Amino acid sequence: MGVRLGRSMFAGTLGLLLGVPLAVYQGWLTVPDRWNPWATLDIRETPGLFTGFKLWRLQGDPQRCAQALRTSPLSFSLVADSVPSPGCPVHDGVRVKGSQAAFSSSFLATCPLAAAYALFEVHGLQPAAQAIYGQPVVRVEHLGSFACRNIANSRWRSQHASANALDIAAFRLRDGRRISVARDWKGSGDAARFLRRVHDAACGPFNLTLGPDYNAAHRDHFHVDMGTLRMCR
Ligand SMILES: [Zn+2]
């Protein structure tokens, strides 16, 4: 009896684990897109259980990725695959021109990096500014995305070499106040609190987030990228 019950519970659990996603995939069962792992990422949705999976599915699927970006506040244009510098091809690129917060300059990014940025801005950066300062960030200063180079002091290609990384240096609030990683990270006031919160928020959508606590090379910016390594430092 006990064994049989155990078996049927096992079968039931297995059925739920395998059957529900299959039924959703096949269209036999309809669930809201937020709860459907096969639905294309919608940047407006509050990040949840399937956000990471949906973001991962944008890799190598430029059409799906562009569809996801269209649900974001980003203004962007698609960029054809190219080799901007010898040895550093860029695939699935977009030129990011602006968003809720303007950029110090437009930048080239892989589409998944742009999608992760949009999630970060909508669900991490702006909520942090509202919570601590009661106003939005209106400008983001960055130090660039594409750079055909290796990781400093290594023989490994940087994610910057494929436009899959962005270095973020400072934020300007609506009242004109400027908060920079170089100056404010080490403090103890609102600016430091804001930067720590922003750094932690970046660790959700971006695969890799490195800040001043990681090493001296990152004393003045947050490096975020969508490479295969997942780390938050
Ligand atoms: Zn970087």
Side-chain angles (χ1 to χ4, degrees):
M1 182 71 181
V3 172
R4 210 190 255 176
L5 186 63
R7 263 193 205 154
S8 62
M9 273 178 69
F10 175 73
T13 309
L14 195 69
L16 267 178
L17 283 175
L18 298 178
V20 172
L22 179 70
V24 171
Y25 180 74
Q26 296 284 4
W28 302 327
L29 183 65
T30 318
V31 294
D33 280 353
R34 185 163 133 70
W35 297 109
N36 178 359
W38 311 109
T40 297
L41 177 69
D42 186 324
I43 303 291
R44 294 163 295 192
E45 285 169 0
T46 307
L49 191 58
F50 299 122
T51 308
F53 178 70
K54 290 178 179 181
L55 195 53
W56 174 76
R57 284 189 82 210
L58 304 182
Q59 312 257 6
D61 191 339
Q63 256 179 323
R64 181 182 293 277
C65 189
Q67 192 188 333
L69 279 195
R70 286 187 200 107
T71 66
S72 82
L74 291 188
S75 72
F76 66 98
S77 57
L78 302 176
V79 176
D81 288 0
S82 68
V83 186
S85 297
C88 289
V90 174
H91 299 288
D92 300 349
V94 295
R95 177 146 293 274
V96 180
K97 297 165 185 168
S99 192
Q100 288 170 338
F103 294 107
S104 44
S105 63
S106 76
F107 59 94
L108 178 64
T110 60
C111 187
L113 178 71
Y117 179 87
L119 281 172
F120 159 73
E121 183 186 30
V122 172
H123 301 288
L125 177 64
Q126 296 295 8
Q130 287 295 348
I132 292 171
Y133 294 107
Q135 56 180 308
V137 169
V138 295
R139 187 176 160 88
V140 170
E141 295 175 23
H142 68 85
L143 305 174
S145 54
F146 176 77
C148 188
R149 62 170 173 81
N150 288 356
I151 297 169
N153 306 315
S154 93
R155 56 198 179 85
W156 303 101
R157 270 279 184 249
S158 164
Q159 289 296 320
H160 285 291
S162 51
N164 205 25
L166 180 68
D167 292 334
I168 302 172
F171 307 92
R172 194 175 288 279
L173 301 174
R174 191 172 54 198
D175 69 5
R177 207 174 330 191
R178 181 174 176 273
I179 302 153
S180 81
V181 177
R183 191 189 56 209
D184 299 311
W185 178 260
K186 289 216 169 94
S188 55
D190 281 351
R193 206 153 57 88
F194 169 73
L195 287 175
R196 277 163 204 285
R197 189 156 163 170
V198 168
H199 173 276
D200 291 352
C203 294
F206 296 109
N207 285 343
L208 185 74
T209 302
L210 301 176
D213 287 351
Y214 178 61
N215 65 14
H218 297 85
R219 70 191 173 281
D220 62 353
H221 68 277
F222 297 149
H223 165 101
V224 293
D225 77 45
M226 288 305 276
T228 48
L229 184 64
R230 191 148 178 101
M231 192 161 83
C232 174
R233 294 279 294 275

